[in-house]
Amino acid sequence: MNAAAIETRRSEALDNFHTRGMPHRRFEHWRYSDLRAILDAGQVAQSGTAKWQVESVPDGVELFDLAAPAEQAPEWVVRYLGTVGNRPTMKEASLAFADGGVALRVTRGRKSAAPMRLQISSTGNVRLLLVLEDDASLTLMETHASDAGLLRNVGVEIVLGSGASLSHVRLAPSAPKSITVEHIGVTEARGACYRAHFANFGSRLSRTELHILLQDVGAEAHLSGVMVLGGEGHADVTSHIEHVSGGTRSTQLFKKVAGGKSRAVYQGKITVREGANGSDSWQTAKALLVGDRAEADLKPELIIFADDVKCAHGAAVGDLDPESLFYLRSRGIPEREARRLLVRAFLEEAVEPIEDGGLRAAVWREVEEALSRAMVIVR
Amino acid sequence: MSMLEIKNLHVTVGGKEILKGLTLRVAAGEVHAIMGPNGSGKSTLSYALAGREDYQITQGGISYRSANLAAMSPEERAAKGVFLAMQYPVEIPGVTTLNFLKTALNAQRRARGESELDAMSVLKLVRQKAGTLQVSEEMLKRALNVGFSGGEKKRLEILQMAVFEPVLAILDETDSGLDIDALKLVADGVNALRAPHRAMLVITHYQRLLDYIVPDRVHVLAGGRIVAEGGKELAHELEAKGYAHFAKEPA
């Protein structure tokens, strides 16, 4: 395999993008995020390349700048770039049009404890490739600047070798004028573990889509996330986890607070492939509507081709519990503060899974700020 | 003038009238017991005093230290010294008990124009009160009421009362679900708070609690009205004769 392989995948991606056109609401899984209504293919092609920046590269982590000529790409970049997960339209666009991005590799057995910070800013398409070799581990904090311009379209590929472990926290602050799309493809070998948290604070249209393949026994994916939306903010997290092999496990817990005229979307599809016996999955999505005109669309979906599996799912949309609110007020806590306290309590369970204390605190800071916007009108 | 004066109080919940002309006076320094069968309106009275929004006063009124209590929000009432120990304290995940106590205490102090206490001062205050009620440090660190046993929840209600130092304390069936040891513990906590400037309204179905918290006056509530009043011996009479005997007689 050589560098020409990358060029071939790029031109395939370009063809695919032009053949399929922009995703729109008539596609079931784009129903709540009508991209074509606000963006055309020409704008995607001409949006340029978004910027990325890493603070420092920890020991045992290799970095390759995808803006460099393909001939310089190391073997692992050539092998994986453009191959991980399915190839949906917007991900193809990021491969076809991004003139850069970053590839990271954690070599076999290297464990990097301190979080590595990756900042994505500016406007355009960009690619990210992350390869963790066998038994390697990494914590990645992916933060987005809110200056996304018209469009930021990120294509992420994650390859987890046997026994590899990645903790991924994605923090996307409010960018009310921008369209932000990110597609994350993950493939996991035997005993690998992907833990990810998605904190979304709303864009004009924000779509985070995941496609995770649990390829072999013992592979696990644990997703959690919070959304706090106000104004006319929109955020959509759509996941598809495929239990390719038996003895694999996935969990998902998403909590959303929607105020103003915002819209919070969660679509979670689980596929248990034929023969993937002993697979275990559960997913829960809950939304709290704190604005009269806010909307939440929660859609769990199960497609099961195996017999001996455990699949649990649940979704609920509601308001704050009046009993709890009265209890706090009867203790002297003013209504506004009591409501904030209860909303925080509602989100807690979905923030808690972030293992790194510093990253957890960073998410809470953003939540606090977003709550001020989401809860502007208290009845 | 009594601290609390309830006159001809009518309260409607969900379109149904529960209190139908309740009249009651409680003076500072006194402990009054309200006894009554299920459905007589005991909890409705406690919620109306604490200010639950869906409990609508359609007639009559409540005067507390010469002010119109019914016009105040629940948080205003708390800041002015009204405290309700609830029959079913709610669980609030994500808020530690200690942090809740600090938030509530400081909110009350702020509303009264007093300075707020820092975390250390609150911890010191809470520790000092928690010991006698057997509320452990571990409980204080847990999320408010989450996974607490019935007895732990009730002890925590009394701890809150000790920390907030209310002027008027209402205890709504604090004895329900308690075994005898827990009951004594709670009663000791309540008795320690008896003071000349403080009044208490102890609401209960059973006479048992009143062996440990001895009231100055006992009122029998039935059908949304007070139907009998007397001294502490009335509680024993109720135990012997049952509520049916009193419910028939007008007060």
Side-chain angles (χ1 to χ4, degrees):
Chain A
M1 212 183 306
N2 56 45
I6 295 180
E7 286 315 318
T8 306
R9 286 173 215 145
R10 282 212 167 112
S11 68
E12 278 170 15
L14 186 64
D15 284 348
N16 285 340
F17 176 71
H18 285 309
T19 308
R20 295 183 209 154
M22 297 296 290
H24 56 84
R25 66 189 163 82
R26 300 244 170 78
F27 292 136
E28 182 59 25
H29 64 293
W30 282 89
R31 196 170 152 189
Y32 307 106
S33 307
D34 194 354
L35 195 58
R36 193 176 68 183
I38 54 172
L39 193 71
D40 65 44
Q43 288 171 306
V44 177
Q46 289 159 30
S47 62
T49 302
K51 295 190 174 73
W52 60 268
Q53 196 186 351
V54 290
E55 256 172 32
S56 64
V57 183
D59 277 357
V61 177
E62 259 172 72
L63 185 150
F64 177 74
D65 186 340
L66 294 172
E71 303 83 65
Q72 293 174 18
E75 185 273 335
W76 55 274
V77 171
V78 176
R79 188 178 345 151
Y80 293 118
L81 189 71
T83 69
V84 182
N86 55 9
R87 301 179 71 168
T89 308
M90 290 305 286
K91 199 180 179 194
E92 294 291 69
S94 68
L95 185 61
F97 304 124
D99 192 15
V102 61
L104 297 162
R105 177 168 76 148
V106 188
T107 49
R108 176 187 279 267
R110 289 308 286 252
K111 308 215 182 291
S112 190
M116 178 172 177
R117 286 163 195 276
L118 172 71
Q119 162 101 359
I120 296 175
S121 62
S122 189
T123 184
N125 299 285
V126 70
R127 293 290 292 197
L128 169 64
L129 171 67
L130 199 57
V131 177
L132 270 67
E133 294 185 342
D134 294 354
D135 300 313
S137 77
L138 181 72
T139 298
L140 180 76
M141 174 71 158
E142 174 193 348
T143 54
H144 285 249
S146 54
D147 64 336
L150 174 69
L151 170 70
R152 186 181 294 146
N153 181 33
V154 188
V156 183
E157 293 173 286
I158 297 172
V159 179
L160 301 181
S162 167
S165 166
L166 175 67
S167 289
H168 180 194
V169 176
R170 181 184 186 271
L171 179 60
S174 165
K177 291 182 180 145
S178 308
I179 299 164
T180 52
V181 179
E182 178 156 332
H183 192 288
I184 302 169
V186 184
T187 177
E188 300 189 44
R190 179 177 291 251
C193 183
Y194 178 57
R195 286 179 197 281
H197 182 89
F198 302 92
N200 281 297
F201 300 97
S203 301
R204 184 170 163 210
L205 187 150
S206 160
R207 166 85 160 196
T208 310
E209 189 172 330
L210 290 125
H211 180 225
I212 300 173
L213 292 158
L214 303 174
Q215 302 278 21
D216 208 341
V217 178
E220 296 188 7
H222 302 284
L223 312 182
S224 62
V226 292
M227 281 180 196
V228 179
L229 310 177
E232 297 186 11
H234 168 281
D236 170 345
V237 170
T238 293
S239 65
H240 182 196
I241 300 180
E242 295 202 58
H243 292 257
V244 179
S245 161
T248 49
R249 215 160 81 81
S250 69
T251 64
Q252 299 181 71
L253 176 61
F254 287 92
K255 298 258 183 123
K256 292 135 203 294
V257 177
K261 289 193 259 177
S262 66
R263 184 174 210 177
V265 182
Y266 166 79
Q267 306 182 97
K269 183 154 92 178
I270 300 278
T271 303
V272 181
R273 291 220 195 141
E274 202 175 334
N277 292 319
S279 294
D280 188 348
S281 85
W282 70 257
Q283 53 177 327
T284 299
K286 287 184 181 166
L288 204 55
L289 299 180
V290 295
D292 288 344
R293 297 173 67 189
E295 180 177 326
D297 304 290
L298 312 176
K299 197 179 75 180
E301 193 182 347
L302 297 173
I303 300 172
I304 302 171
F305 298 103
D307 294 329
D308 175 27
V309 299
K310 272 204 291 192
C311 290
H313 64 91
V317 180
D319 195 0
L320 291 175
D321 171 35
E323 297 261 349
S324 303
L325 189 60
F326 172 68
Y327 187 83
L328 294 177
R329 293 180 71 191
S330 79
R331 269 50 183 156
I333 301 173
E335 181 172 2
R336 205 187 158 80
E337 204 179 335
R339 283 182 176 270
R340 280 279 284 250
L341 212 61
L342 292 175
V343 170
R344 253 183 251 135
F346 167 77
L347 293 173
E348 168 88 13
E349 194 188 3
V351 179
E352 204 53 32
I354 302 173
E355 285 166 317
D356 184 274
L359 300 188
R360 207 164 51 231
V363 169
W364 274 123
R365 272 196 299 278
E366 206 62 44
V367 165
E368 289 296 335
E369 205 175 294
L371 280 177
S372 304
R373 286 190 299 269
M375 302 181 75
V376 174
I377 305 151
V378 182
R379 296 188 318 136
Chain B
M1 187 87 184
S2 299
M3 175 194 290
L4 179 70
E5 294 209 12
I6 304 172
K7 271 188 201 150
N8 187 33
L9 188 69
H10 291 250
V11 174
T12 301
V13 187
K16 192 171 175 231
E17 188 172 64
I18 309 289
L19 295 185
K20 300 167 181 170
L22 185 144
T23 296
L24 183 69
R25 276 193 189 83
V26 182
E30 290 179 352
V31 174
H32 288 225
I34 307 260
M35 299 186 70
N38 289 333
S40 59
K42 299 192 301 291
S43 286
T44 301
L45 173 63
S46 68
Y47 283 141
L49 289 171
R52 244 186 98 141
E53 270 165 3
D54 40 351
Y55 287 64
Q56 230 184 348
I57 296 176
T58 53
Q59 215 184 315
I62 308 167
S63 146
Y64 166 69
R65 298 168 104 186
S66 308
N68 178 12
L69 191 70
M72 299 178 203
S73 67
E75 51 267 40
E76 269 180 277
R77 299 181 199 207
K80 290 195 155 78
V82 177
F83 177 82
L84 167 63
M86 292 199 198
Q87 188 179 358
Y88 304 109
V90 302
E91 300 186 359
I92 310 215
V95 181
T96 67
T97 302
L98 187 63
N99 194 30
F100 159 77
L101 288 169
K102 175 172 171 260
T103 305
L105 180 63
N106 278 335
Q108 292 183 24
R109 291 178 65 94
R110 210 162 48 231
R112 290 193 293 261
E114 297 164 13
S115 67
E116 293 188 30
L117 298 181
D118 61 29
M120 272 317 290
S121 312
V122 174
L123 182 62
K124 217 174 130 186
L125 176 70
V126 171
R127 269 188 186 148
Q128 178 204 328
K129 314 269 185 188
T132 48
L133 284 160
Q134 294 182 15
V135 172
S136 65
E137 292 275 321
E138 193 262 331
M139 270 173 78
L140 295 173
K141 282 181 195 148
R142 267 151 63 189
L144 181 61
N145 287 322
V146 176
F148 285 24
S149 70
E152 285 175 330
K153 285 181 184 170
K154 295 298 172 73
R155 262 148 52 205
L156 192 64
E157 292 292 290
I158 304 306
L159 174 64
Q160 290 178 44
M161 179 165 133
V163 169
F164 301 150
E165 301 184 314
V167 177
L168 171 66
I170 305 140
L171 285 79
D172 187 8
E173 307 222 13
T174 298
D175 50 334
S176 69
L178 294 186
D179 62 31
I180 196 71
D181 291 333
L183 186 75
K184 279 182 189 162
L185 200 66
V186 164
D188 286 348
V190 172
N191 286 328
L193 288 163
R194 292 178 91 139
H197 64 276
R198 182 172 292 138
M200 293 188 195
L201 208 51
V202 180
I203 296 173
T204 180
H205 188 117
Y206 302 103
Q207 165 272 334
R208 192 178 69 151
L209 178 68
L210 304 180
D211 287 343
Y212 302 99
I213 304 172
V214 181
D216 299 299
R217 297 287 293 168
V218 174
H219 312 261
V220 179
L221 179 61
R225 281 189 203 92
I226 301 293
V227 293
E229 286 180 312
K232 60 179 185 246
E233 64 289 344
L234 183 58
H236 292 278
E237 208 182 320
L238 266 172
E239 198 192 13
K241 293 183 181 169
Y243 284 113
H245 173 77
F246 289 90
K248 284 179 207 134
E249 294 176 18

